[in-house]
Amino acid sequence: MNYDKIIQSALKEVEDSNSSEKLEQVRIKYFGKNGTFTNALKSLSTLPIEEKKSVGEKLNGFKNLFFSSFSKKKNQIENLEINKKLENDFIDLSLPAREVNFIEAKVHPISHTTNEIVNILGDMGLSYEEGPDIEDDFHNFSALNIPENHPARQMHDTFYVKSKTHETLVLRTHTSPVQIRSLKKNKLPLKIFAPGRTYRCDSDMTHTPMFHQVEGLVVDKDITFANLKWFVESFCKTFFEKNDLKLRFRPSYFPFTEPSAEVDINFKKESGKIIIGEGDKWMEILGCGLVHPEVFRMSGVKQDVTGFAFGMGIERLAMLKYGMPDLRDFFDSDLRWLEHYGFSFFEKTDLSWR
Ligand code: DAH
């Protein structure tokens, strides 16, 4: 084998390479698994002993020579390639900057309205409670006197959650299950409210799959409908900041209260705008009633007590107080909507006017 010729042409091929790919091809040609050098090295053992030494030295010298010119060339090519790339990736620093619209951070109407409700109910002597968003069937339905196959279950368009156990789990369809959890956990008398997210499989102008409710529960000896009526009336007048707000308690049905009522407030419409607390039209704002004895029994309450409960939608209260026309906008994350309907961080509920 004419080693000198091979060495000459290998070094020339390195020198003539003008891209990383070509250079790599040359390396493989000589030093790859089946490369010329690799094979020569393999056949070294077949040579007679005196030739073995001189050829071995030559090949090793070649290897060193090859790789030093290989890495020199590699550097050269990479520099060229980077420079070419930089030339093409030209950034025009003379372009004027794009205008950024800095919007003042705003509090979302849901947060603001929830804070208002928390302030008012807290001021009226109720304490804050929370329950989980993922509920079991017992707390969301059965304990609230909504047994399986009860038509009220169909009213709720429930989202069911896959569970690893055999237990039926749901995204809570209302905040009422917190009533059960509080009754089980706390000593009596009990005065609590529980705001939070609720879920129903429903979507149109007035329904979104996720929305917010506040639950209220007051349990003591001799709680009557009169207590409920006073409480709800005081809350609504304070929330809408209207001392002459009129309320109408309309008989209704909820499985967990008896008797049950829906509460309407008066309003009028003036050039398309709703004005609460004026006029003689009625608008429903919440459901309420006296706690059903079955709810006490299911929660393990043994004492001789009565109670009232109420539940209301936070979005609905916000829409009525602040005039948003469409419920879905609350969850569209449109900054223009938030800019218009959002609140400053420093606005607080003014309770001093009462
Ligand atoms: N949980 C009811 C609903 O989502 C609202 C409700 C009505 C809650 C009456 C109550 C109540 O506590 O007494 O439709």
Side-chain angles (χ1 to χ4, degrees):
M1 206 185 274
N2 188 346
Y3 293 112
D4 291 327
K5 210 166 159 211
I6 295 175
I7 293 169
Q8 287 294 308
S9 83
L11 293 176
K12 186 163 188 309
E13 281 170 58
V14 169
E15 201 42 49
D16 290 349
S17 299
N18 55 8
S19 71
S20 304
E21 289 93 58
K22 274 220 178 97
L23 190 64
E24 181 60 10
Q25 277 166 17
V26 177
R27 188 193 64 79
I28 290 168
K29 181 173 170 193
Y30 291 94
F31 288 91
K33 244 188 183 165
N34 227 346
T36 316
F37 177 87
T38 318
N39 288 336
L41 212 61
K42 273 186 212 153
S43 63
L44 209 59
S45 57
T46 61
L47 296 179
I49 195 124
E50 55 285 3
E51 238 180 282
K52 222 185 238 176
K53 194 167 173 252
S54 67
V55 174
E57 261 168 23
K58 201 180 241 211
L59 287 181
N60 261 332
F62 166 57
K63 190 180 172 185
N64 291 339
L65 208 60
F66 181 91
F67 279 104
S68 79
S69 73
F70 176 86
S71 47
K72 216 165 102 196
K73 192 73 192 174
K74 197 170 171 188
N75 260 335
Q76 259 175 28
I77 291 175
E78 276 174 2
N79 276 339
L80 276 176
E81 283 174 350
I82 286 173
N83 285 339
K84 208 167 181 183
K85 198 157 180 251
L86 284 177
E87 253 170 54
N88 293 335
D89 282 354
F90 173 70
I91 298 171
D92 185 358
L93 293 174
S94 68
L95 270 181
R98 237 178 253 158
E99 195 175 320
V100 180
N101 200 0
F102 287 105
I103 300 175
E104 181 201 347
K106 289 282 178 82
V107 177
H108 194 282
I110 291 292
S111 307
H112 177 81
T113 308
T114 307
N115 288 342
E116 285 192 301
I117 295 169
V118 169
N119 281 342
I120 298 168
L121 293 179
D123 193 62
M124 291 176 81
L126 307 199
S127 13
Y128 182 91
E129 281 285 343
E130 273 178 352
D133 285 21
I134 298 176
E135 263 299 0
D136 52 46
D137 183 274
F138 175 78
H139 290 93
N140 196 79
F141 293 124
S142 307
L144 288 161
N145 197 28
I146 317 175
E148 241 165 283
N149 305 320
H150 192 284
R153 287 211 182 193
Q154 269 93 65
M155 277 164 46
H156 279 210
D157 301 307
T158 312
F159 283 113
Y160 286 88
V161 178
K162 267 195 189 145
S163 86
K164 286 198 177 127
T165 61
H166 291 297
E167 187 180 28
T168 303
L169 295 179
V170 301
L171 292 183
R172 66 175 175 188
T173 56
H174 49 177
T175 42
S176 303
V178 188
Q179 288 190 35
I180 309 297
R181 292 187 177 275
S182 303
L183 282 170
K184 288 198 326 196
K185 188 180 80 182
N186 298 308
K187 286 206 191 85
L188 300 180
L190 185 74
K191 291 192 266 179
I192 60 106
F193 70 101
R197 283 186 285 267
T198 47
Y199 308 83
R200 287 182 203 180
C201 189
D202 207 352
S203 182
D204 58 37
M205 265 275 282
T206 51
H207 297 89
T208 47
M210 193 270 296
F211 56 106
H212 298 77
Q213 289 190 340
V214 188
E215 195 75 14
L217 176 67
V218 172
V219 177
D220 202 346
K221 262 185 232 143
D222 304 324
I223 294 286
T224 67
F225 206 92
N227 298 130
L228 168 63
K229 193 161 177 278
W230 174 85
F231 193 98
V232 167
E233 222 170 273
S234 305
F235 171 81
C236 290
K237 285 179 175 176
T238 311
F239 179 77
F240 288 106
E241 296 169 35
K242 288 259 158 84
N243 230 341
D244 49 1
L245 183 74
K246 290 192 190 71
L247 279 86
R248 180 172 79 172
F249 284 72
R250 202 165 19 83
S252 183
Y253 171 76
F254 298 104
F256 35 90
T257 44
E258 182 60 35
S260 304
E262 278 171 305
V263 176
D264 304 333
I265 52 175
N266 70 318
F267 78 100
K268 70 173 180 188
K269 249 188 170 170
E270 227 172 56
S271 48
K273 265 186 91 178
I274 288 171
I275 301 169
I276 301 287
E278 288 176 37
D280 53 8
K281 287 186 159 52
W282 295 107
M283 153 129 51
E284 183 206 319
I285 54 153
L286 62 89
C288 62
L290 293 187
V291 179
H292 196 290
E294 192 60 11
V295 170
F296 284 138
R297 196 183 68 81
M298 292 294 248
S299 312
V301 173
K302 303 239 158 47
Q303 293 95 319
D304 184 18
V305 287
T306 52
F308 70 72
F310 58 88
M312 49 201 176
I314 297 182
E315 285 82 356
R316 188 172 173 77
L317 287 172
M319 286 164 86
L320 292 176
K321 186 165 176 179
Y322 299 113
M324 301 85 169
D326 192 325
L327 173 66
R328 288 168 297 193
D329 294 338
F330 278 80
F331 307 111
D332 273 351
S333 303
D334 185 334
L335 282 180
R336 290 164 306 175
W337 185 86
L338 191 59
E339 169 77 356
H340 183 79
Y341 288 110
F343 292 87
S344 147
F345 276 95
F346 303 107
E347 278 169 65
K348 275 235 165 96
T349 327
D350 178 15
L351 300 176
S352 64
W353 63 276
R354 284 193 298 175

